[in-house]
Short mmCIF file of all heavy atoms in Angstrom, two decimals:
data_model
loop_
_atom_site.label_atom_id
_atom_site.label_comp_id
_atom_site.label_asym_id
_atom_site.label_seq_id
_atom_site.Cartn_x
_atom_site.Cartn_y
_atom_site.Cartn_z
N MET U 166 36.21 -127.05 156.29
CA MET U 166 36.77 -125.81 156.78
C MET U 166 35.76 -124.69 156.49
O MET U 166 35.29 -124.54 155.38
CB MET U 166 38.10 -125.55 156.08
CG MET U 166 38.75 -124.26 156.48
SD MET U 166 40.28 -123.99 155.56
CE MET U 166 41.45 -124.13 156.86
N GLY U 167 35.43 -123.90 157.51
CA GLY U 167 34.48 -122.80 157.36
C GLY U 167 35.12 -121.57 156.77
O GLY U 167 36.34 -121.46 156.66
N ILE U 168 34.27 -120.65 156.43
CA ILE U 168 34.75 -119.38 155.87
C ILE U 168 34.99 -118.43 157.03
O ILE U 168 34.11 -118.19 157.85
CB ILE U 168 33.73 -118.80 154.89
CG1 ILE U 168 33.56 -119.72 153.70
CG2 ILE U 168 34.16 -117.41 154.45
CD1 ILE U 168 32.49 -119.28 152.73
N ALA U 169 36.18 -117.87 157.09
CA ALA U 169 36.53 -116.91 158.14
C ALA U 169 36.25 -115.50 157.63
O ALA U 169 36.33 -115.23 156.45
CB ALA U 169 38.00 -117.05 158.50
N SER U 170 35.93 -114.62 158.53
CA SER U 170 35.78 -113.23 158.14
C SER U 170 36.80 -112.41 158.92
O SER U 170 37.11 -112.71 160.08
CB SER U 170 34.37 -112.72 158.41
OG SER U 170 34.14 -112.61 159.78
N PHE U 171 37.34 -111.42 158.28
CA PHE U 171 38.30 -110.56 158.91
C PHE U 171 38.29 -109.23 158.16
O PHE U 171 37.94 -109.16 156.99
CB PHE U 171 39.71 -111.17 158.90
CG PHE U 171 40.14 -111.66 157.55
CD1 PHE U 171 40.77 -110.83 156.65
CD2 PHE U 171 39.91 -112.98 157.18
CE1 PHE U 171 41.16 -111.28 155.40
CE2 PHE U 171 40.29 -113.45 155.93
CZ PHE U 171 40.92 -112.59 155.04
N PRO U 172 38.65 -108.15 158.85
CA PRO U 172 38.62 -106.84 158.21
C PRO U 172 39.80 -106.65 157.26
O PRO U 172 40.89 -107.16 157.49
CB PRO U 172 38.71 -105.86 159.37
CG PRO U 172 39.36 -106.62 160.47
CD PRO U 172 38.97 -108.07 160.27
N LEU U 173 39.55 -105.94 156.19
CA LEU U 173 40.59 -105.52 155.26
C LEU U 173 40.63 -104.00 155.27
O LEU U 173 39.63 -103.35 155.54
CB LEU U 173 40.31 -106.03 153.85
CG LEU U 173 40.33 -107.53 153.66
CD1 LEU U 173 39.93 -107.88 152.23
CD2 LEU U 173 41.71 -108.10 153.97
N LEU U 174 41.76 -103.46 154.94
CA LEU U 174 41.96 -102.02 154.99
C LEU U 174 42.04 -101.44 153.59
O LEU U 174 42.76 -101.95 152.74
CB LEU U 174 43.26 -101.72 155.75
CG LEU U 174 43.74 -100.28 155.71
CD1 LEU U 174 42.84 -99.42 156.57
CD2 LEU U 174 45.17 -100.20 156.18
N GLY U 175 41.30 -100.38 153.35
CA GLY U 175 41.44 -99.60 152.12
C GLY U 175 42.16 -98.31 152.50
O GLY U 175 41.71 -97.59 153.38
N ASP U 176 43.25 -98.01 151.86
CA ASP U 176 44.08 -96.86 152.24
C ASP U 176 44.13 -95.84 151.11
O ASP U 176 45.17 -95.59 150.51
CB ASP U 176 45.49 -97.38 152.58
CG ASP U 176 46.38 -96.30 153.17
OD1 ASP U 176 45.86 -95.31 153.70
OD2 ASP U 176 47.61 -96.48 153.10
N LEU U 177 42.99 -95.24 150.82
CA LEU U 177 42.88 -94.34 149.69
C LEU U 177 43.78 -93.11 149.81
O LEU U 177 44.28 -92.59 148.82
CB LEU U 177 41.43 -93.90 149.50
CG LEU U 177 40.45 -95.04 149.19
CD1 LEU U 177 39.03 -94.50 149.13
CD2 LEU U 177 40.83 -95.73 147.90
N ASN U 178 43.98 -92.61 151.03
CA ASN U 178 44.82 -91.43 151.23
C ASN U 178 46.28 -91.76 151.48
O ASN U 178 47.09 -90.86 151.72
CB ASN U 178 44.28 -90.60 152.41
CG ASN U 178 42.91 -90.05 152.11
OD1 ASN U 178 42.60 -89.66 150.98
ND2 ASN U 178 42.04 -90.04 153.11
N LYS U 179 46.61 -93.04 151.47
CA LYS U 179 47.99 -93.53 151.63
C LYS U 179 48.60 -93.20 152.98
O LYS U 179 49.80 -93.23 153.15
CB LYS U 179 48.87 -93.02 150.48
CG LYS U 179 48.35 -93.45 149.12
CD LYS U 179 49.16 -92.88 148.00
CE LYS U 179 48.49 -93.25 146.68
NZ LYS U 179 49.12 -92.65 145.56
N GLU U 180 47.76 -92.90 153.96
CA GLU U 180 48.25 -92.59 155.30
C GLU U 180 48.87 -93.81 155.97
O GLU U 180 49.90 -93.70 156.63
CB GLU U 180 47.11 -92.06 156.16
CG GLU U 180 46.58 -90.73 155.69
CD GLU U 180 45.34 -90.30 156.45
OE1 GLU U 180 45.14 -90.76 157.59
OE2 GLU U 180 44.57 -89.50 155.90
N VAL U 181 48.24 -94.95 155.81
CA VAL U 181 48.75 -96.17 156.44
C VAL U 181 50.04 -96.61 155.76
O VAL U 181 51.00 -97.01 156.43
CB VAL U 181 47.68 -97.28 156.42
CG1 VAL U 181 48.23 -98.58 157.00
CG2 VAL U 181 46.44 -96.85 157.19
N CYS U 182 50.09 -96.53 154.45
CA CYS U 182 51.32 -96.88 153.71
C CYS U 182 52.50 -96.05 154.22
O CYS U 182 53.59 -96.57 154.44
CB CYS U 182 51.16 -96.63 152.22
SG CYS U 182 49.99 -97.71 151.42
N ARG U 183 52.25 -94.78 154.41
CA ARG U 183 53.32 -93.90 154.93
C ARG U 183 53.73 -94.32 156.34
O ARG U 183 54.92 -94.41 156.64
CB ARG U 183 52.86 -92.45 154.94
CG ARG U 183 52.91 -91.78 153.62
CD ARG U 183 52.60 -90.27 153.74
NE ARG U 183 52.30 -89.74 152.44
CZ ARG U 183 51.08 -89.66 151.91
NH1 ARG U 183 50.02 -90.06 152.59
NH2 ARG U 183 50.90 -89.18 150.70
N SER U 184 52.76 -94.56 157.20
CA SER U 184 53.09 -94.87 158.59
C SER U 184 53.79 -96.22 158.74
O SER U 184 54.57 -96.41 159.65
CB SER U 184 51.86 -94.80 159.48
OG SER U 184 50.93 -95.79 159.15
N TYR U 185 53.52 -97.16 157.81
CA TYR U 185 54.19 -98.46 157.85
C TYR U 185 55.48 -98.48 157.03
O TYR U 185 56.15 -99.49 156.96
CB TYR U 185 53.24 -99.56 157.35
CG TYR U 185 52.27 -100.03 158.43
CD1 TYR U 185 51.17 -99.26 158.78
CD2 TYR U 185 52.47 -101.23 159.08
CE1 TYR U 185 50.28 -99.67 159.75
CE2 TYR U 185 51.59 -101.67 160.05
CZ TYR U 185 50.50 -100.87 160.38
OH TYR U 185 49.62 -101.29 161.35
N GLY U 186 55.79 -97.36 156.38
CA GLY U 186 57.04 -97.27 155.63
C GLY U 186 57.08 -98.05 154.33
O GLY U 186 58.16 -98.45 153.90
N VAL U 187 55.93 -98.24 153.70
CA VAL U 187 55.91 -99.01 152.47
C VAL U 187 55.47 -98.21 151.24
O VAL U 187 55.28 -98.77 150.17
CB VAL U 187 55.03 -100.28 152.61
CG1 VAL U 187 55.64 -101.24 153.63
CG2 VAL U 187 53.60 -99.94 152.96
N LEU U 188 55.33 -96.89 151.39
CA LEU U 188 54.96 -96.07 150.25
C LEU U 188 56.19 -95.77 149.41
O LEU U 188 57.19 -95.25 149.90
CB LEU U 188 54.32 -94.76 150.71
CG LEU U 188 53.76 -93.87 149.61
CD1 LEU U 188 52.63 -94.58 148.87
CD2 LEU U 188 53.28 -92.55 150.18
N ARG U 189 56.13 -96.11 148.15
CA ARG U 189 57.25 -95.90 147.24
C ARG U 189 57.26 -94.46 146.72
O ARG U 189 56.26 -93.78 146.74
CB ARG U 189 57.15 -96.86 146.06
CG ARG U 189 57.28 -98.32 146.47
CD ARG U 189 57.03 -99.23 145.30
NE ARG U 189 57.98 -98.98 144.24
CZ ARG U 189 58.83 -99.86 143.73
NH1 ARG U 189 58.82 -101.09 144.19
NH2 ARG U 189 59.65 -99.54 142.78
N ARG U 190 58.40 -94.01 146.25
CA ARG U 190 58.53 -92.68 145.68
C ARG U 190 57.58 -92.45 144.51
O ARG U 190 57.13 -91.35 144.26
CB ARG U 190 59.96 -92.43 145.19
CG ARG U 190 60.93 -92.14 146.31
CD ARG U 190 62.30 -91.94 145.76
NE ARG U 190 62.93 -93.26 145.83
CZ ARG U 190 63.99 -93.64 145.18
NH1 ARG U 190 64.60 -92.82 144.37
NH2 ARG U 190 64.48 -94.84 145.32
N GLU U 191 57.28 -93.53 143.80
CA GLU U 191 56.40 -93.43 142.63
C GLU U 191 54.95 -93.19 143.02
O GLU U 191 54.11 -92.95 142.16
CB GLU U 191 56.49 -94.71 141.79
CG GLU U 191 57.86 -94.98 141.22
CD GLU U 191 58.74 -95.83 142.15
OE1 GLU U 191 58.40 -96.00 143.34
OE2 GLU U 191 59.76 -96.34 141.67
N GLY U 192 54.63 -93.26 144.30
CA GLY U 192 53.28 -92.98 144.77
C GLY U 192 52.41 -94.19 145.03
O GLY U 192 51.22 -94.05 145.32
N PHE U 193 52.97 -95.38 144.91
CA PHE U 193 52.20 -96.58 145.23
C PHE U 193 52.94 -97.38 146.28
O PHE U 193 54.11 -97.17 146.54
CB PHE U 193 51.89 -97.42 143.99
CG PHE U 193 53.10 -97.92 143.25
CD1 PHE U 193 53.66 -99.14 143.55
CD2 PHE U 193 53.66 -97.15 142.24
CE1 PHE U 193 54.77 -99.60 142.87
CE2 PHE U 193 54.78 -97.61 141.55
CZ PHE U 193 55.33 -98.82 141.87
N ALA U 194 52.22 -98.31 146.89
CA ALA U 194 52.79 -99.07 148.01
C ALA U 194 53.55 -100.29 147.54
O ALA U 194 53.25 -100.87 146.50
CB ALA U 194 51.68 -99.50 148.95
N GLU U 195 54.53 -100.66 148.35
CA GLU U 195 55.18 -101.95 148.18
C GLU U 195 54.13 -103.04 148.39
O GLU U 195 53.10 -102.80 149.03
CB GLU U 195 56.28 -102.16 149.23
CG GLU U 195 57.43 -101.21 149.13
CD GLU U 195 58.34 -101.50 147.96
OE1 GLU U 195 58.27 -102.62 147.38
OE2 GLU U 195 59.12 -100.61 147.60
N ARG U 196 54.37 -104.21 147.90
CA ARG U 196 53.47 -105.33 148.16
C ARG U 196 53.78 -105.81 149.58
O ARG U 196 54.83 -106.41 149.84
CB ARG U 196 53.72 -106.46 147.17
CG ARG U 196 52.81 -107.64 147.39
CD ARG U 196 53.04 -108.68 146.36
NE ARG U 196 52.31 -108.32 145.16
CZ ARG U 196 52.27 -109.06 144.07
NH1 ARG U 196 52.93 -110.20 144.02
NH2 ARG U 196 51.56 -108.69 143.03
N ALA U 197 52.90 -105.52 150.50
CA ALA U 197 53.13 -105.84 151.90
C ALA U 197 51.89 -106.48 152.51
O ALA U 197 50.77 -106.11 152.17
CB ALA U 197 53.48 -104.58 152.67
N THR U 198 52.12 -107.44 153.39
CA THR U 198 51.05 -108.08 154.13
C THR U 198 51.43 -108.07 155.61
O THR U 198 52.56 -108.40 155.95
CB THR U 198 50.85 -109.54 153.67
OG1 THR U 198 50.54 -109.54 152.28
CG2 THR U 198 49.72 -110.20 154.44
N TYR U 199 50.49 -107.68 156.43
CA TYR U 199 50.69 -107.68 157.87
C TYR U 199 49.57 -108.48 158.51
O TYR U 199 48.41 -108.35 158.13
CB TYR U 199 50.62 -106.25 158.44
CG TYR U 199 51.75 -105.37 157.98
CD1 TYR U 199 51.67 -104.67 156.79
CD2 TYR U 199 52.88 -105.23 158.75
CE1 TYR U 199 52.71 -103.86 156.36
CE2 TYR U 199 53.93 -104.42 158.34
CZ TYR U 199 53.83 -103.74 157.15
OH TYR U 199 54.86 -102.94 156.74
N LEU U 200 49.92 -109.31 159.48
CA LEU U 200 48.92 -109.97 160.32
C LEU U 200 49.00 -109.29 161.68
O LEU U 200 50.05 -109.28 162.32
CB LEU U 200 49.21 -111.46 160.47
CG LEU U 200 49.12 -112.29 159.19
CD1 LEU U 200 49.46 -113.74 159.48
CD2 LEU U 200 47.75 -112.18 158.56
N ILE U 201 47.90 -108.71 162.09
CA ILE U 201 47.84 -107.94 163.33
C ILE U 201 46.83 -108.62 164.25
O ILE U 201 45.70 -108.87 163.85
CB ILE U 201 47.43 -106.48 163.03
CG1 ILE U 201 48.43 -105.88 162.04
CG2 ILE U 201 47.35 -105.68 164.31
CD1 ILE U 201 48.02 -104.53 161.50
N ASP U 202 47.26 -108.89 165.48
CA ASP U 202 46.36 -109.59 166.39
C ASP U 202 45.31 -108.65 166.97
O ASP U 202 45.30 -107.46 166.69
CB ASP U 202 47.14 -110.35 167.48
CG ASP U 202 47.80 -109.45 168.51
OD1 ASP U 202 47.48 -108.24 168.58
OD2 ASP U 202 48.64 -109.96 169.26
N ARG U 203 44.42 -109.19 167.76
CA ARG U 203 43.31 -108.41 168.31
C ARG U 203 43.77 -107.28 169.23
O ARG U 203 43.04 -106.34 169.46
CB ARG U 203 42.36 -109.33 169.06
CG ARG U 203 41.65 -110.27 168.15
CD ARG U 203 40.80 -111.25 168.92
NE ARG U 203 40.39 -112.32 168.02
CZ ARG U 203 39.14 -112.66 167.83
NH1 ARG U 203 38.19 -112.07 168.48
NH2 ARG U 203 38.85 -113.62 166.99
N LYS U 204 44.98 -107.38 169.74
CA LYS U 204 45.52 -106.33 170.60
C LYS U 204 46.27 -105.26 169.81
O LYS U 204 46.80 -104.32 170.37
CB LYS U 204 46.45 -106.94 171.65
CG LYS U 204 45.73 -107.83 172.63
CD LYS U 204 46.67 -108.41 173.64
CE LYS U 204 45.92 -109.32 174.59
NZ LYS U 204 46.81 -109.91 175.59
N GLY U 205 46.34 -105.43 168.50
CA GLY U 205 47.02 -104.46 167.65
C GLY U 205 48.50 -104.70 167.47
O GLY U 205 49.21 -103.85 166.94
N VAL U 206 48.97 -105.88 167.86
CA VAL U 206 50.38 -106.22 167.75
C VAL U 206 50.63 -106.90 166.40
O VAL U 206 49.92 -107.84 166.03
CB VAL U 206 50.81 -107.17 168.89
CG1 VAL U 206 52.27 -107.60 168.73
CG2 VAL U 206 50.59 -106.50 170.24
N ILE U 207 51.62 -106.41 165.67
CA ILE U 207 51.98 -107.03 164.39
C ILE U 207 52.66 -108.36 164.69
O ILE U 207 53.68 -108.41 165.35
CB ILE U 207 52.91 -106.12 163.57
CG1 ILE U 207 52.19 -104.84 163.19
CG2 ILE U 207 53.40 -106.85 162.30
CD1 ILE U 207 53.08 -103.80 162.55
N ARG U 208 52.07 -109.45 164.18
CA ARG U 208 52.59 -110.79 164.41
C ARG U 208 53.33 -111.36 163.21
O ARG U 208 54.07 -112.32 163.35
CB ARG U 208 51.46 -111.73 164.80
CG ARG U 208 50.75 -111.36 166.06
CD ARG U 208 51.70 -111.49 167.21
NE ARG U 208 51.04 -111.13 168.46
CZ ARG U 208 51.64 -111.17 169.63
NH1 ARG U 208 52.89 -111.55 169.71
NH2 ARG U 208 50.99 -110.81 170.71
N PHE U 209 53.12 -110.76 162.06
CA PHE U 209 53.77 -111.25 160.84
C PHE U 209 53.81 -110.10 159.84
O PHE U 209 52.89 -109.32 159.75
CB PHE U 209 52.96 -112.41 160.25
CG PHE U 209 53.45 -112.91 158.93
CD1 PHE U 209 54.57 -113.74 158.85
CD2 PHE U 209 52.81 -112.56 157.75
CE1 PHE U 209 55.01 -114.22 157.62
CE2 PHE U 209 53.25 -113.03 156.54
CZ PHE U 209 54.35 -113.86 156.47
N ARG U 210 54.93 -110.01 159.14
CA ARG U 210 55.10 -109.01 158.09
C ARG U 210 55.80 -109.65 156.91
O ARG U 210 56.81 -110.33 157.08
CB ARG U 210 55.94 -107.86 158.62
CG ARG U 210 56.24 -106.82 157.58
CD ARG U 210 57.10 -105.74 158.17
NE ARG U 210 57.71 -105.00 157.07
CZ ARG U 210 58.82 -104.34 157.13
NH1 ARG U 210 59.49 -104.30 158.27
NH2 ARG U 210 59.30 -103.71 156.11
N ALA U 211 55.26 -109.43 155.74
CA ALA U 211 55.89 -109.95 154.52
C ALA U 211 55.92 -108.83 153.49
O ALA U 211 54.90 -108.24 153.17
CB ALA U 211 55.11 -111.14 153.98
N LEU U 212 57.11 -108.53 153.03
CA LEU U 212 57.29 -107.59 151.92
C LEU U 212 57.65 -108.42 150.71
O LEU U 212 58.57 -109.23 150.76
CB LEU U 212 58.38 -106.58 152.21
CG LEU U 212 58.10 -105.59 153.33
CD1 LEU U 212 59.31 -104.69 153.58
CD2 LEU U 212 56.88 -104.75 153.01
N GLY U 213 56.93 -108.20 149.63
CA GLY U 213 57.17 -109.03 148.45
C GLY U 213 57.60 -108.22 147.25
O GLY U 213 57.28 -107.04 147.12
N ASP U 214 58.32 -108.87 146.39
CA ASP U 214 58.73 -108.30 145.12
C ASP U 214 57.49 -108.17 144.23
O ASP U 214 56.72 -109.12 144.09
CB ASP U 214 59.77 -109.22 144.47
CG ASP U 214 60.34 -108.67 143.19
OD1 ASP U 214 59.66 -107.88 142.51
OD2 ASP U 214 61.46 -109.06 142.84
N LEU U 215 57.29 -107.01 143.64
CA LEU U 215 56.12 -106.79 142.79
C LEU U 215 56.08 -107.73 141.59
O LEU U 215 55.02 -107.98 141.03
CB LEU U 215 56.09 -105.35 142.31
CG LEU U 215 55.85 -104.29 143.38
CD1 LEU U 215 56.02 -102.89 142.79
CD2 LEU U 215 54.48 -104.44 143.99
N ASN U 216 57.21 -108.27 141.19
CA ASN U 216 57.29 -109.11 140.01
C ASN U 216 57.29 -110.61 140.31
O ASN U 216 57.46 -111.41 139.40
CB ASN U 216 58.54 -108.76 139.20
CG ASN U 216 58.50 -107.33 138.72
OD1 ASN U 216 57.48 -106.86 138.21
ND2 ASN U 216 59.59 -106.61 138.91
N ARG U 217 57.14 -110.97 141.59
CA ARG U 217 57.17 -112.40 141.94
C ARG U 217 55.88 -112.79 142.63
O ARG U 217 55.30 -112.02 143.39
CB ARG U 217 58.35 -112.68 142.87
CG ARG U 217 59.68 -112.44 142.17
CD ARG U 217 60.86 -112.86 143.00
NE ARG U 217 60.82 -114.30 143.19
CZ ARG U 217 61.34 -114.91 144.24
NH1 ARG U 217 61.94 -114.22 145.17
NH2 ARG U 217 61.29 -116.22 144.34
N GLN U 218 55.47 -114.02 142.39
CA GLN U 218 54.28 -114.55 143.03
C GLN U 218 54.57 -114.83 144.50
O GLN U 218 55.66 -115.27 144.86
CB GLN U 218 53.86 -115.84 142.34
CG GLN U 218 52.59 -116.42 142.86
CD GLN U 218 52.17 -117.64 142.07
OE1 GLN U 218 52.87 -118.10 141.19
NE2 GLN U 218 51.01 -118.18 142.39
N ARG U 219 53.59 -114.57 145.35
CA ARG U 219 53.76 -114.83 146.78
C ARG U 219 53.58 -116.30 147.09
O ARG U 219 52.83 -117.01 146.43
CB ARG U 219 52.72 -114.05 147.57
CG ARG U 219 52.81 -112.57 147.38
CD ARG U 219 51.78 -111.89 148.23
NE ARG U 219 51.47 -110.57 147.72
CZ ARG U 219 50.78 -109.68 148.39
NH1 ARG U 219 50.30 -109.98 149.57
NH2 ARG U 219 50.54 -108.52 147.86
N SER U 220 54.27 -116.76 148.12
CA SER U 220 54.15 -118.14 148.57
C SER U 220 53.14 -118.22 149.71
O SER U 220 53.30 -117.57 150.74
CB SER U 220 55.50 -118.67 149.05
OG SER U 220 55.32 -119.91 149.70
N ILE U 221 52.11 -119.00 149.53
CA ILE U 221 51.07 -119.15 150.54
C ILE U 221 51.59 -119.87 151.78
O ILE U 221 51.07 -119.70 152.88
CB ILE U 221 49.84 -119.86 149.95
CG1 ILE U 221 48.63 -119.72 150.87
CG2 ILE U 221 50.13 -121.31 149.68
CD1 ILE U 221 48.06 -118.36 150.95
N THR U 222 52.65 -120.63 151.63
CA THR U 222 53.21 -121.40 152.76
C THR U 222 53.60 -120.51 153.94
O THR U 222 53.31 -120.84 155.09
CB THR U 222 54.44 -122.19 152.28
OG1 THR U 222 54.08 -122.98 151.16
CG2 THR U 222 54.99 -123.10 153.37
N ASP U 223 54.23 -119.38 153.67
CA ASP U 223 54.62 -118.47 154.75
C ASP U 223 53.41 -117.92 155.49
O ASP U 223 53.42 -117.76 156.70
CB ASP U 223 55.45 -117.32 154.19
CG ASP U 223 56.79 -117.76 153.64
OD1 ASP U 223 57.27 -118.84 154.03
OD2 ASP U 223 57.34 -117.04 152.80
N TYR U 224 52.36 -117.61 154.75
CA TYR U 224 51.16 -117.06 155.35
C TYR U 224 50.46 -118.09 156.22
O TYR U 224 50.00 -117.79 157.33
CB TYR U 224 50.20 -116.54 154.28
CG TYR U 224 50.78 -115.41 153.49
CD1 TYR U 224 51.28 -115.62 152.22
CD2 TYR U 224 50.84 -114.13 154.03
CE1 TYR U 224 51.83 -114.58 151.48
CE2 TYR U 224 51.39 -113.08 153.30
CZ TYR U 224 51.88 -113.31 152.04
OH TYR U 224 52.43 -112.29 151.33
N ILE U 225 50.38 -119.31 155.74
CA ILE U 225 49.75 -120.39 156.53
C ILE U 225 50.53 -120.63 157.81
O ILE U 225 49.96 -120.75 158.89
CB ILE U 225 49.64 -121.67 155.68
CG1 ILE U 225 48.63 -121.46 154.55
CG2 ILE U 225 49.26 -122.87 156.55
CD1 ILE U 225 48.59 -122.57 153.53
N ALA U 226 51.85 -120.67 157.73
CA ALA U 226 52.68 -120.88 158.92
C ALA U 226 52.47 -119.75 159.92
O ALA U 226 52.37 -119.99 161.12
CB ALA U 226 54.15 -121.00 158.52
N ALA U 227 52.39 -118.52 159.45
CA ALA U 227 52.19 -117.38 160.33
C ALA U 227 50.82 -117.45 161.02
O ALA U 227 50.71 -117.20 162.22
CB ALA U 227 52.32 -116.07 159.57
N LEU U 228 49.81 -117.81 160.27
CA LEU U 228 48.46 -117.93 160.86
C LEU U 228 48.40 -119.04 161.89
O LEU U 228 47.72 -118.90 162.91
CB LEU U 228 47.44 -118.18 159.75
CG LEU U 228 47.11 -116.98 158.89
CD1 LEU U 228 46.31 -117.41 157.66
CD2 LEU U 228 46.36 -115.93 159.67
N GLU U 229 49.12 -120.11 161.66
CA GLU U 229 49.11 -121.22 162.62
C GLU U 229 49.76 -120.85 163.94
O GLU U 229 49.43 -121.42 164.98
CB GLU U 229 49.78 -122.44 162.01
CG GLU U 229 48.93 -123.10 160.93
CD GLU U 229 49.62 -124.24 160.21
OE1 GLU U 229 50.86 -124.39 160.32
OE2 GLU U 229 48.91 -124.99 159.52
N THR U 230 50.66 -119.88 163.95
CA THR U 230 51.28 -119.46 165.21
C THR U 230 50.37 -118.57 166.04
O THR U 230 50.59 -118.38 167.23
CB THR U 230 52.60 -118.70 164.96
OG1 THR U 230 52.33 -117.47 164.29
CG2 THR U 230 53.57 -119.54 164.15
N LEU U 231 49.35 -118.02 165.41
CA LEU U 231 48.39 -117.18 166.16
C LEU U 231 47.46 -118.08 166.92
O LEU U 231 46.84 -117.88 167.80
CB LEU U 231 47.60 -116.27 165.23
CG LEU U 231 48.42 -115.27 164.41
CD1 LEU U 231 47.50 -114.49 163.49
CD2 LEU U 231 49.16 -114.30 165.32
#
């Protein structure tokens, strides 16, 4: 399996967190992952509990549907 490259977002001004509705009152973002296709359509969204480990199975299944 080769190494894939994809862009990651740094949201220092918290503008994206606000627009996606995941900015908490405390000033930090919820644990959220979005898979966005090349056309800009959100294909997968996962909001996670800050105190629980994420399951890779959901992410793999979402990627396979793309």
Side-chain angles (χ1 to χ4, degrees):
M166 179 183 247
I168 297 175
S170 70
F171 50 88
L173 296 176
L174 171 72
D176 188 21
L177 298 176
N178 296 322
K179 302 177 185 174
E180 294 173 24
V181 176
C182 293
R183 281 188 196 91
S184 66
Y185 279 76
V187 295
L188 186 63
R189 295 174 60 121
R190 284 179 267 163
E191 298 90 346
F193 60 91
E195 295 287 344
R196 180 178 278 183
T198 301
Y199 294 86
L200 296 179
I201 303 171
D202 71 13
R203 292 175 193 235
K204 294 180 181 179
V206 177
I207 296 171
R208 298 295 180 179
F209 175 78
R210 176 181 162 205
L212 293 176
D214 184 334
L215 293 172
N216 298 314
R217 295 187 65 208
Q218 184 176 5
R219 300 182 202 191
S220 169
I221 194 70
T222 306
D223 294 338
Y224 297 102
I225 292 171
L228 286 169
E229 288 175 346
T230 66
L231 299 177

